[in-house]
Amino acid sequence: MAMARWQGLERARPALFALFLLVALAVRWPAYGEWNYAVDDQYFALVGRRLLAGDLLYVDIWDRKPPLLYLTYAAIARIQPSALAYQLVATVFAALGGYGTARIARLIAPLPAALMAGIAYCVLLTRFGGGNGEAAVFYNPLILATAWSIAASIAQLRRGVLPPRVLLGMFTAGLAIGFKQSAGFEALFFGIATLAILARSGMDWRALAVRAAAMAALGALPLAAIGLAYWWMGHFPQLWQALVLSNFARAYDAGRMTRALALAGLLCLPLLFAVLGYLRGRASRPAPLDFLACWAVAATLAVAIFPGLYLHYALPLLAPLAILGAPFFARPGIGALGFAALLVLNLATSDMFDLPVRARARPAAAALVEQVRQVTPHGRLLVFGMPSYLYAAIGSAPPTILAFPAHFYEGAESGASGIDEVAELRRVLHAEPETVVVQEPLPAAPLNEANVAQVIRYVRRCEAVRRMTIYDHEGEKRMAVHSGCARAAPTSPPAAED
């Protein structure tokens, strides 16, 4: 009877997705409506709003991530321009990731253990900086679709057959790259792994070359279309600088080794379960097991080469680690105990469930917005230090293409954008913003000392300063709101916000 119920649940795929949607809601709800919860997604939301207002990405507002991420935020803002809107959409994508994790885990473990793997993904997502709208929350399901297309086709690939779903999987990997370039490392692995399996089947090299070209073309299609669009508009150099050159120009973080060790420590339990799951899976040798293990290694190496290491950089690792852990979760007794320990430990240490801070965060952010709005009647605002979404919150257009504040104050970002950030800040200050919001202290080491000095000189002329406390996923942050800084009246009205 129990077996029949499990089989019925497995066939009821909408019910399975609904299960993961409930899990995602349960582990993400405390931050709903909190626009200042995370640094990155509030900037994604700002850029989405600016695209709707007519700005062109990389030309009028700058960042190094590909366009599909910002177009997603723009589409959400078109329907409802609020933090809650993109948080709910991200919740759906988190549930899709949990569902995809469970579908792949089912290929190497029984359904109950596969469901545990999907639930573990949703919980780990929240613990590792994916509790809001990080890029990986949106593209992980696309990568999972690619991984499933290959893992479910191992037997056919070994016979020299390339199923259409694998070709579709290469396209979804290309879409993932359209959200963040680092997904390209996993996409490259998927292509190489598929070709390696086909080659071992004895396929003729000419036939193999044709299939390689088809997979590469489908994977490259999304970014190729974007590149052609920018070339047609005459802005391909700006696109190339943002997506390619800027990533090579970034300096390595001075605290990279410390962060790497901390990240490894936080990942030790899912890593342990993945290893134990792989070793247990070797006893029955399910067809996709080695492919999935190699995927986990490739995803780990992709993270290891980043110039800087932050908590959310681990997000692409969570699905392959949870999937490999499924055979361990299937072990009677100890598997369920390990799964429970993983959930309790990661929920207990997640900033998402620091409920006293979450309760203070929304009113504190609202008070900051109200203060800035009152002292910035003409909308001439400069945010030097987070939060960047203040521009959208008061209905003001950013005064610079470098609207993400870190491009001005982070020493590691100096020159990466291809824009002289010192000259650009000098231009912004020459236009005399009436309000300057500075985070104290600035969250970077090393700092761009030339730009810090420019701002210090400018705010000395301001008539008033009010220091306020706001909260994000890291806790308390101090903001200094310098007002009455402009000596000249505005020469034109500020750009209207849609």
Side-chain angles (χ1 to χ4, degrees):
M1 181 67 70
M3 181 64 70
R5 284 199 294 268
W6 283 116
Q7 290 174 346
L9 178 60
E10 187 168 13
R11 288 192 294 268
R13 291 179 182 174
L16 281 177
F17 175 72
L19 168 66
F20 290 111
L21 186 59
L22 287 173
V23 172
L25 285 165
V27 298
R28 301 169 77 86
W29 66 266
Y32 283 169
E34 188 181 331
W35 61 260
N36 191 50
Y37 177 76
V39 168
D40 286 347
D41 47 60
Q42 66 171 280
Y43 185 67
F44 305 156
L46 169 65
V47 175
R49 296 274 292 271
R50 294 311 310 160
L51 296 186
L52 292 179
D55 284 0
L56 181 61
L57 188 61
Y58 317 124
V59 177
D60 301 308
I61 191 164
W62 196 90
D63 198 38
R64 58 170 47 91
K65 290 185 177 63
L68 292 186
L69 176 63
Y70 301 106
L71 291 174
T72 299
Y73 271 87
I76 296 168
R78 183 82 175 188
I79 299 169
Q80 173 54 248
S82 69
L84 181 60
Y86 69 74
Q87 288 167 332
L88 290 175
V89 173
T91 299
V92 173
F93 275 81
L96 285 171
Y99 175 77
T101 298
R103 285 290 304 277
I104 299 175
R106 181 66 182 91
L107 299 173
I108 61 172
L111 180 62
L115 295 179
M116 292 182 195
I119 293 169
Y121 171 81
C122 292
V123 170
L124 290 169
L125 202 67
T126 301
R127 176 63 185 87
F128 284 88
N132 226 38
E134 268 293 343
V137 176
F138 292 99
Y139 75 74
N140 273 358
L142 295 168
I143 289 293
L144 281 160
T146 307
W148 177 85
S149 74
I150 300 168
S153 306
I154 296 292
Q156 293 166 281
L157 292 170
R158 285 174 175 170
R159 295 196 305 270
V161 176
L162 181 63
R165 65 185 172 194
V166 175
L167 292 173
L168 181 60
M170 294 301 159
F171 178 71
T172 63
L175 290 175
I177 299 170
F179 280 83
K180 192 172 182 180
Q181 301 95 314
S182 58
F185 293 102
E186 290 174 271
L188 181 63
F189 161 74
F190 291 141
I192 292 173
T194 301
L195 292 174
I197 299 171
L198 288 173
R200 292 185 66 182
S201 73
M203 179 179 287
D204 177 75
W205 71 267
R206 287 179 291 267
L208 193 65
V210 169
R211 285 155 178 77
M215 290 191 297
L218 286 167
L221 184 59
L223 274 188
I226 291 166
L228 285 172
Y230 270 78
W231 175 81
W232 180 79
M233 291 185 291
H235 295 298
F236 185 81
Q238 290 93 327
L239 176 76
W240 183 257
Q241 174 66 39
L243 299 191
V244 180
L245 299 182
S246 71
N247 288 285
F248 290 106
R250 295 176 71 181
Y252 273 78
D253 194 322
R256 188 175 186 278
M257 184 55 67
T258 301
R259 288 181 175 177
L261 292 173
L263 199 58
L266 292 173
L267 284 167
C268 64
L269 205 55
L271 278 168
L272 174 63
F273 292 162
V275 171
L276 293 175
Y278 174 74
L279 294 176
R280 188 171 193 268
R282 286 177 63 86
S284 56
R285 300 296 297 183
L289 183 65
D290 288 335
F291 162 74
L292 295 172
C294 290
W295 171 31
V297 172
T300 302
L301 292 175
V303 172
I305 66 172
F306 275 96
L309 288 175
Y310 298 94
L311 187 65
H312 64 273
Y313 285 15
L315 294 176
L317 307 181
L318 304 182
L321 293 180
I323 290 166
L324 286 174
F328 170 76
F329 296 146
R331 291 187 60 181
I334 191 172
L337 185 63
F339 169 71
L342 183 69
L343 264 58
V344 171
L345 177 64
N346 283 279
L347 288 175
T349 58
S350 172
D351 51 76
M352 181 65 72
F353 286 91
D354 189 347
L355 297 182
V357 170
R358 300 278 70 78
R360 292 194 292 269
R362 279 177 286 270
L368 176 65
V369 171
E370 183 57 28
Q371 171 67 15
V372 173
R373 182 180 287 120
Q374 286 182 4
V375 299
T376 319
H378 303 292
R380 293 158 61 192
L381 170 67
L382 171 63
V383 178
F384 192 77
M386 308 306 170
S388 60
Y389 192 75
L390 266 177
Y391 293 117
I394 71 164
S396 172
T400 171
I401 183 176
L402 299 177
F404 190 61
H407 296 310
F408 273 147
Y409 66 73
E410 275 196 11
E413 288 287 351
S414 182
S417 67
I419 299 166
D420 184 338
E421 70 279 349
V422 176
E424 176 66 4
L425 182 59
R426 187 182 303 116
R427 182 195 65 79
V428 171
L429 296 176
H430 182 74
E432 299 196 348
E434 53 196 323
T435 304
V436 180
V437 178
V438 182
Q439 184 168 327
E440 298 179 338
L442 289 166
L447 291 169
N448 185 322
E449 298 293 352
N451 274 352
V452 171
Q454 285 196 78
V455 171
I456 289 175
R457 286 194 300 270
Y458 184 80
V459 297
R460 286 175 183 154
R461 65 192 284 181
C462 301
E463 296 175 357
V465 58
R466 180 178 175 184
R467 287 176 169 81
M468 306 180 71
T469 300
I470 59 174
Y471 303 87
D472 63 13
H473 69 289
E474 295 180 337
E476 181 178 301
K477 298 292 170 65
R478 294 285 292 171
M479 311 302 298
V481 181
H482 300 267
S483 58
C485 306
R487 293 173 181 166
T491 56
S492 60
E497 177 76 23
D498 280 5

mmCIF file of all heavy atoms in Angstrom, residues 70 277 294 476:
data_model
loop_
_atom_site.group_PDB
_atom_site.id
_atom_site.type_symbol
_atom_site.label_atom_id
_atom_site.label_comp_id
_atom_site.label_asym_id
_atom_site.label_seq_id
_atom_site.Cartn_x
_atom_site.Cartn_y
_atom_site.Cartn_z
ATOM 1 N N TYR A 70 18.437 40.844 -16.391
ATOM 2 C CA TYR A 70 17.797 42.155 -16.239
ATOM 3 C C TYR A 70 16.474 42.226 -16.992
ATOM 4 O O TYR A 70 15.548 42.916 -16.556
ATOM 5 C CB TYR A 70 18.764 43.246 -16.708
ATOM 6 C CG TYR A 70 20.040 43.217 -15.931
ATOM 7 C CD1 TYR A 70 21.212 42.730 -16.496
ATOM 8 C CD2 TYR A 70 20.076 43.632 -14.602
ATOM 9 C CE1 TYR A 70 22.388 42.674 -15.774
ATOM 10 C CE2 TYR A 70 21.243 43.572 -13.872
ATOM 11 C CZ TYR A 70 22.393 43.092 -14.458
ATOM 12 O OH TYR A 70 23.544 43.032 -13.727
ATOM 13 N N GLY A 277 26.984 9.459 -0.539
ATOM 14 C CA GLY A 277 25.957 9.027 -1.484
ATOM 15 C C GLY A 277 26.561 8.427 -2.732
ATOM 16 O O GLY A 277 26.072 7.409 -3.256
ATOM 17 N N CYS A 294 30.888 13.863 -11.921
ATOM 18 C CA CYS A 294 31.768 14.753 -12.700
ATOM 19 C C CYS A 294 31.175 16.146 -12.806
ATOM 20 O O CYS A 294 31.911 17.151 -12.802
ATOM 21 C CB CYS A 294 32.008 14.162 -14.080
ATOM 22 S SG CYS A 294 33.041 12.685 -14.071
ATOM 23 N N GLU A 476 23.033 44.547 10.756
ATOM 24 C CA GLU A 476 22.918 46.001 10.884
ATOM 25 C C GLU A 476 23.919 46.727 9.996
ATOM 26 O O GLU A 476 25.075 46.346 9.895
ATOM 27 C CB GLU A 476 23.147 46.378 12.340
ATOM 28 C CG GLU A 476 23.048 47.844 12.657
ATOM 29 C CD GLU A 476 23.253 48.130 14.135
ATOM 30 O OE1 GLU A 476 22.483 47.602 14.955
ATOM 31 O OE2 GLU A 476 24.209 48.862 14.459
#
